[in-house]
Amino acid sequence: DEEMNLIKRILFGLLILIAALVAISFLLPSQFNVARSVTINASPEKIYPLIANTREWKNWTVWNRRDPNMKIDYAGPESGLGAKWSWESKTEGSGEMEFTQAEPNKLLGYRLTFKDFNSTSTGTLKLEPELAATKVTWSFVGEAGNNPMMRYMGLMMDGMIGKDFDAGLANLKVLAEQK
C-alpha cells in the first residue's frame, strides 16, 4: 500500500511538471528569428546572381553539402521572383523554397516550407554596399503558433540554424570573391 502511494505521488508530480512545462510554453515567444551577416569583398552585382538563382544555392549552402544525394527539383523561372526549388533528403529533411521578393543587387526574400514539420517561415538575404565590399545579411523568421514543443524549439533555433547560416555565408564569401 505504501508502494502504491509512492507511485501515485510520483505520477502526480510528473503530471504537475508536464502541466507547468505546457503553461510556461505559452509565456515563450510564438515567433523566432535568426540573422547572420558577413562582409564580402565583392560588389552586390557579383553576389546577387549567386543568391537569386535557385541552382546556385547548392554551391554555397551547407545543407546540400551535408547530403550530396539530396533530390532537388526546380520549378518556375531559374532566378528571381517566383523561382522555386524543393528537396528530399534523409538527413536534411524535405521542404520547398520560393523566392517571393527580388530586388536585383539589393534583396531576395523567400518563403520556406518544411514538410516534415508542417511549418512555413520567411527569410531574406539583404545586400548592402560598403566601401569596396558588400555586407550580406541572411535572416529567417518563423512562427511557432500555440504548439508548446515548437515554442521550446524556437528558443534553440538561433543555435541550431545560426551555425548553418554562418557556414553558408562563409561559403558564399569564398565563391563571390573567387569570381
Side-chain angles (χ1 to χ4, degrees):
D1 196 36
E2 205 171 295
E3 212 174 278
M4 196 60 163
N5 280 339
L6 179 63
I7 291 172
K8 284 181 183 176
R9 278 188 271 164
I10 290 171
L11 289 175
F12 184 72
L14 283 173
L15 190 62
I16 295 293
L17 179 64
I18 290 169
L21 289 172
V22 169
I24 290 168
S25 76
F26 288 105
L27 301 174
L28 298 174
S30 64
Q31 197 175 66
F32 54 86
N33 58 36
V34 177
R36 294 291 190 277
S37 295
V38 69
T39 299
I40 298 176
N41 297 316
S43 68
E45 293 79 14
K46 284 187 176 180
I47 301 166
Y48 188 77
L50 299 172
I51 64 172
N53 184 322
T54 52
R55 287 157 180 83
E56 288 288 343
W57 280 57
K58 68 180 177 287
N59 297 323
W60 58 271
T61 62
V62 294
W63 305 294
N64 300 84
R65 290 177 176 204
R66 281 199 296 245
D67 181 6
N69 298 317
M70 183 182 284
K71 182 182 178 282
I72 300 174
D73 291 311
Y74 299 98
E78 192 171 305
S79 183
L81 189 65
K84 288 184 195 179
W85 60 298
S86 59
W87 62 91
E88 289 179 26
S89 168
K90 289 184 174 139
T91 60
E92 303 305 303
S94 298
E96 180 179 283
M97 179 183 283
E98 179 177 1
F99 297 155
T100 56
Q101 192 178 3
E103 295 176 39
N105 309 321
K106 291 182 183 174
L107 180 89
L108 182 79
Y110 62 86
R111 180 176 51 249
L112 181 65
T113 305
F114 282 106
K115 296 172 188 172
D116 302 337
F117 297 104
N118 194 25
S119 70
T120 300
S121 48
T122 58
T124 59
L125 282 142
K126 185 177 177 184
L127 307 177
E128 298 171 280
E130 292 182 341
L131 290 173
T134 304
K135 180 180 178 186
V136 179
T137 302
W138 190 359
S139 61
F140 173 78
V141 177
E143 186 63 48
N146 290 324
N147 181 328
M149 287 303 295
M150 287 302 290
R151 286 187 176 215
Y152 279 108
M153 275 190 68
L155 292 176
M156 299 178 282
M157 211 53 83
D158 189 75
M160 292 185 327
I161 296 174
K163 64 181 186 271
D164 290 348
F165 277 23
D166 285 333
L169 289 171
N171 294 337
L172 181 64
K173 177 179 174 68
V174 168
L175 202 58
E177 290 178 355
Q178 281 176 351
K179 293 197 173 221

